[in-house]
Amino acid sequence: MSSRSYQVSVPVSKRNTNCIPETTSNDLKTFTGGAVLSFHNICYRVTVKSGFLLRRKTVEKEILKNINGIMKPGLNAILGPTGGGKSSLLDVLAARKDPHGLSGDVLINGAPRPADFKCNSGYVVQDDVVMGTLTVRENLQFSAALRLPTTMTNHEKNERINMVIQELGLDKVADSKVGTQFIRGVSGGERKRTSIAMELITDPSILFLDEPTTGLDSSTANAVLLLLKRMSKQGRTIIFSIHQPRYSIFKLFDSLTLLASGRLMFHGPAQEALGYFASTGYHCEPYNNPADFFLDVINGDSCAVVLNREDTDGEAKETEEPSKTDTPLIGKLTEFYANSSFFKETKAELEQLSGGQRKKKISVYKEITYATSFCHQLRWISRRSFKNLLGNPQASIAQIIVTIVLGLVIGAIFYDLKNDPAGIQNRAGVLFFLTTNQCFSSVSAVELLVVEKKLFIHEYISGYYRVSSYFFGKLLSDLLPMRMLPSIIFTSITYFLLDIFRAVGKSQNRCALALMASVLQHSSIWLCGFAA
């Protein structure tokens, strides 16, 4: 491409020439009933450490640079190649990024985001994080119990749950288990809809989704986006990142944001994107998917992108590959957009929306105000943990069997101890072994932190519960079946097979000490896990 500048203003065509839904920029401006999210000069940098010990270096990496835009009620897609900053921008808009290294402003209807924005908005993560051993309805009941205010009665909460189930078409699988690696459950599309339903319980005006089509086949992905489109027509502002949608999905978009290397390539009505790129010299081939075409342009794939440019003498256009000596392609596309009418209109509307609000230094990263009390959260977390244990009892049964076998083996080895110096040494060895066994058997508690890590992080950030509620709830639900019962069984077997406790005369104290050792070790492992 030559270094000459191109005219990038694109007239809005009244006729749909690209078979994309008729939603013009004027149509987007008519959405005034829902929430309008605007972001101003968003920059995000992270510190990356490399090397070892004395050679350790700290490098600052720029993830997002000067990102501006407006998300209105409708389907707002963030598209771009892998590593382009889609998920980072989504997390920034949803107030889920560390404020360190983050600059810029995000406004809701021209005002700063409230402190509890993360709790009031919905966020569906890329990997569906729901409790697989529970049914769809039980998962929704957990979300409703912890996120809806306590002033609502149980009848009102159940009505809200039934309404969401009906809205998302989950009636047939409402009482079916979601499923795990070992338990057959609902399909991938139904699992994704369950994740969306968990966030719709609070009836948020803004819903964020991180690549909602990941792991779904094309038909199921299309069904999920049709569902989101229907929800957006009810006045919701739906913002989502997506990697490579097919054409039937792309034509559902109302607004399109193209990102590459953390820079903004385009932001505006989705159906006007092809015309914009045509004005810059990139023409989409017939029958080519627009989403694939945009990614090809950004990645500089000359096999799929035809670059047309005029000769300086006015001769016919010829097709050439971009010169390697030209300015980097992403920089050129960024400059094109900065000089376009789309950017100027967006900046003008951003100034109108902000209305001086950006000058107010109001911190939105305040402590979350929870909808329920500590005891209420503790009760529901314990209840869910017990249901999860009953729905997947294999680990508990295996641990009890191992405990019984180990107790019988120890009893057989040290059976009939004598009252002589050798017997005293054997008794000391047995006491040491029993104590260490009780301690190290609690190491299996780490598994819970690994298995439920993503679930805990998502629910905590979304304002389901406090960290203390989750800690004590899991401690109580895991303590009785997984720690106390095996300790009692193991101590009882060794008590009757060995004469050690009766010889000492402190059998009750010994049982209590063994149980306390197991409980303390279990608690310390959990504390270390949460601290990490």
Side-chain angles (χ1 to χ4, degrees):
M1 179 183 290
S2 63
S3 59
R4 59 176 295 184
S5 61
Y6 290 89
Q7 183 69 24
V8 293
S9 60
V10 181
V12 179
S13 176
K14 295 182 179 180
R15 188 169 60 90
N16 188 359
T17 59
N18 297 313
C19 299
I20 299 176
E22 298 281 352
T23 307
T24 64
S25 57
N26 292 329
D27 295 330
L28 290 177
K29 293 178 182 179
T30 60
F31 289 121
T32 57
V36 177
L37 184 146
S38 59
F39 42 102
H40 311 249
N41 299 322
I42 297 297
C43 295
Y44 182 57
R45 296 177 176 85
V46 295
T47 302
V48 180
K49 296 181 180 180
S50 60
F52 299 95
L53 299 177
L54 298 178
R55 295 185 178 181
R56 196 172 185 84
K57 297 181 180 179
T58 301
V59 180
E60 193 176 66
K61 183 179 180 181
E62 190 174 48
I63 306 298
L64 299 172
K65 181 178 181 180
N66 295 330
I67 307 297
N68 296 272
I70 302 173
M71 302 295 190
K72 300 179 181 179
L75 280 186
N76 301 272
I78 303 175
L79 182 66
T82 302
K86 304 186 301 295
S87 297
S88 296
L89 177 60
L90 191 74
D91 290 342
V92 169
L93 299 182
R96 290 171 180 258
K97 279 293 185 187
D98 189 348
H100 298 290
L102 177 62
S103 62
D105 300 278
V106 180
L107 306 179
I108 306 296
N109 293 328
R113 290 174 299 187
D116 57 350
F117 177 73
K118 291 185 290 187
C119 304
N120 294 333
S121 61
Y123 190 97
V124 181
V125 296
Q126 182 174 348
D127 299 323
D128 302 320
V129 283
V130 289
M131 190 66 74
T133 55
L134 304 184
T135 65
V136 173
R137 188 182 301 276
E138 287 172 341
N139 276 288
L140 297 183
Q141 287 174 345
F142 180 80
S143 178
L146 296 183
R147 303 184 74 184
L148 295 179
T150 53
T151 54
M152 292 183 64
T153 63
N154 291 332
H155 178 70
E156 292 174 337
K157 292 180 180 179
N158 288 329
E159 284 185 345
R160 175 72 63 84
I161 292 171
N162 293 330
M163 181 185 67
V164 172
I165 289 176
Q166 186 175 5
E167 181 181 358
L168 298 187
L170 294 170
D171 309 71
K172 296 182 179 180
V173 296
D175 297 314
S176 302
K177 290 186 177 181
V178 176
T180 63
Q181 296 177 347
F182 308 102
I183 302 176
R184 184 177 179 84
V186 299
S187 65
E190 291 165 342
R191 188 182 182 94
K192 177 64 69 176
R193 279 183 280 164
T194 302
S195 298
I196 297 174
M198 294 280 287
E199 302 303 316
L200 292 182
I201 286 294
T202 58
D203 193 22
S205 58
I206 300 179
L207 178 64
F208 299 93
L209 301 99
D210 187 9
E211 301 199 14
T213 59
T214 299
L216 303 179
D217 60 83
S218 58
S219 178
T220 305
N222 188 65
V224 171
L225 264 295
L226 285 173
L227 170 66
L228 296 177
K229 182 67 175 180
R230 187 171 70 249
M231 291 166 50
S232 68
K233 291 182 178 180
Q234 300 173 359
R236 283 194 177 94
T237 303
I238 298 179
I239 307 170
F240 61 96
S241 62
I242 194 165
H243 181 62
Q244 200 167 5
R246 71 180 195 179
Y247 176 70
S248 62
I249 292 177
F250 176 81
K251 68 181 183 180
L252 298 175
F253 299 165
D254 295 312
S255 171
L256 178 65
T257 302
L258 285 175
L259 286 179
S261 299
R263 297 187 177 187
L264 194 59
M265 305 288 104
F266 174 81
H267 176 74
Q271 78 281 1
E272 298 182 26
L274 285 177
Y276 165 76
F277 276 93
S279 69
T280 63
Y282 296 93
H283 298 271
C284 183
E285 297 172 329
Y287 309 108
N288 191 7
N289 181 11
D292 294 335
F293 166 73
F294 297 143
L295 293 179
D296 288 338
V297 172
I298 293 172
N299 292 326
D301 187 358
S302 59
C303 297
V305 178
V306 178
L307 177 61
N308 294 323
R309 67 179 184 180
E310 295 180 351
D311 290 335
T312 56
D313 55 359
E315 294 181 356
K317 296 180 180 179
E318 61 180 2
T319 302
E320 296 181 0
E321 291 187 359
S323 174
K324 295 182 180 179
T325 60
D326 286 346
T327 308
L329 182 60
I330 292 178
K332 279 191 173 184
L333 292 176
T334 304
E335 184 180 355
F336 276 132
Y337 176 71
N339 296 324
S340 68
S341 59
F342 290 99
F343 180 74
K344 294 176 182 178
E345 291 177 3
T346 300
K347 289 292 288 184
E349 194 167 357
L350 286 174
E351 290 296 331
Q352 184 179 1
L353 280 173
S354 62
Q357 290 289 342
R358 287 185 294 164
K359 297 180 181 179
K360 299 180 180 180
K361 300 297 182 180
I362 301 178
S363 176
V364 298
Y365 299 97
K366 298 179 181 179
E367 186 177 354
I368 298 175
T369 303
Y370 296 95
T372 55
S373 64
F374 171 83
C375 295
H376 183 83
Q377 295 172 2
L378 180 66
R379 179 164 60 90
W380 274 92
I381 293 171
S382 301
R383 178 186 298 183
R384 185 179 69 168
S385 299
F386 275 118
K387 286 184 178 179
N388 180 43
L389 186 62
L390 294 176
N392 189 23
Q394 292 86 353
S396 302
I397 295 174
Q399 184 172 359
I400 291 175
I401 293 175
V402 170
T403 300
I404 294 174
V405 173
L406 185 60
L408 293 174
V409 170
I410 297 301
I413 293 175
F414 294 96
Y415 183 73
D416 193 20
L417 295 175
K418 304 297 182 180
N419 294 325
D420 53 15
I424 295 175
Q425 291 182 349
N426 289 333
R427 286 184 175 87
V430 171
L431 290 174
F432 175 78
F433 181 81
L434 295 180
T435 304
T436 55
N437 176 71
Q438 294 299 312
C439 293
F440 285 103
S441 63
S442 299
V443 176
S444 60
V446 178
E447 179 190 7
L448 291 175
L449 297 175
V450 176
V451 173
E452 297 186 10
K453 179 180 179 180
K454 291 183 179 180
L455 180 65
F456 163 72
I457 292 175
H458 170 66
E459 292 179 344
Y460 169 68
I461 294 177
S462 299
Y464 280 72
Y465 42 69
R466 302 168 177 84
V467 176
S468 57
S469 301
Y470 184 80
F471 174 78
F472 287 108
K474 297 297 293 185
L475 189 64
L476 291 175
S477 60
D478 184 62
L479 187 63
L480 180 61
M482 298 291 288
R483 310 303 155 200
M484 292 183 64
L485 186 59
S487 296
I488 293 173
I489 293 174
F490 184 77
T491 307
S492 300
I493 292 175
T494 54
Y495 173 79
F496 288 105
L497 290 180
L498 304 179
D499 195 35
I500 179 174
F501 297 140
R502 281 174 287 184
V504 176
K506 300 290 184 180
S507 59
Q508 296 84 357
N509 293 344
R510 172 58 201 162
C511 293
L513 288 174
L515 183 59
M516 288 179 61
S518 177
V519 172
L520 290 175
Q521 182 69 11
H522 173 63
S523 303
S524 62
I525 290 175
W526 270 76
L527 284 173
C528 293
F530 274 93

